[in-house]
Amino acid sequence: MLVTRNRERIDEYIKYVQKEIDLMRTYLLPDRKVAQHHWGGGTPTHLKPEEINKLASYINQSFEFIENSENSCEIDPRELTKEHLDA
């Protein structure tokens, strides 16, 4: 794992996460829905709010979630802003 403030590296990271999502989808049954989703490791607050929105949108369009799915997000409170919460 690499922690960086280099925005170009972070953009690259987001692209790799999107590729991993695409690969994972090929192993899942097409009609399988997400019941639980956890996003963590401190990544959400390391990203800018617009990057969170970009990645969250990609996740939401890549998978179908059940109604009332269980969703959680692990954050680093040292970097948390209202904008992160809104994202």
Side-chain angles (χ1 to χ4, degrees):
M1 177 180 189
L2 172 67
V3 176
T4 182
R5 298 246 182 242
N6 180 330
R7 299 317 303 172
E8 290 177 15
R9 296 295 306 266
I10 293 172
D11 288 341
E12 182 180 7
Y13 167 78
I14 290 172
K15 289 176 186 171
Y16 279 116
V17 171
Q18 290 173 328
K19 285 182 181 183
E20 186 174 356
I21 289 168
D22 293 340
L23 288 171
M24 179 57 70
R25 286 179 44 209
T26 65
Y27 292 100
L28 301 174
L29 296 172
D31 59 342
R32 184 158 184 171
K33 296 180 181 179
V34 176
Q36 296 178 323
H37 174 239
H38 175 76
W39 189 7
T43 300
T45 45
H46 190 66
L47 299 177
K48 292 180 180 179
E50 56 270 17
E51 293 166 334
I52 293 171
N53 285 329
K54 178 181 179 179
L55 198 47
S57 292
Y58 197 82
I59 291 167
N60 288 328
Q61 68 184 345
S62 297
F63 300 102
E64 188 174 348
F65 288 74
I66 65 167
E67 186 176 339
N68 298 318
S69 62
E70 181 181 319
N71 301 282
S72 63
C73 182
E74 182 181 347
I75 55 95
D76 179 349
R78 296 172 296 174
E79 297 185 37
L80 184 66
T81 66
K82 182 181 180 321
E83 290 76 19
H84 284 105
L85 292 173
D86 290 342

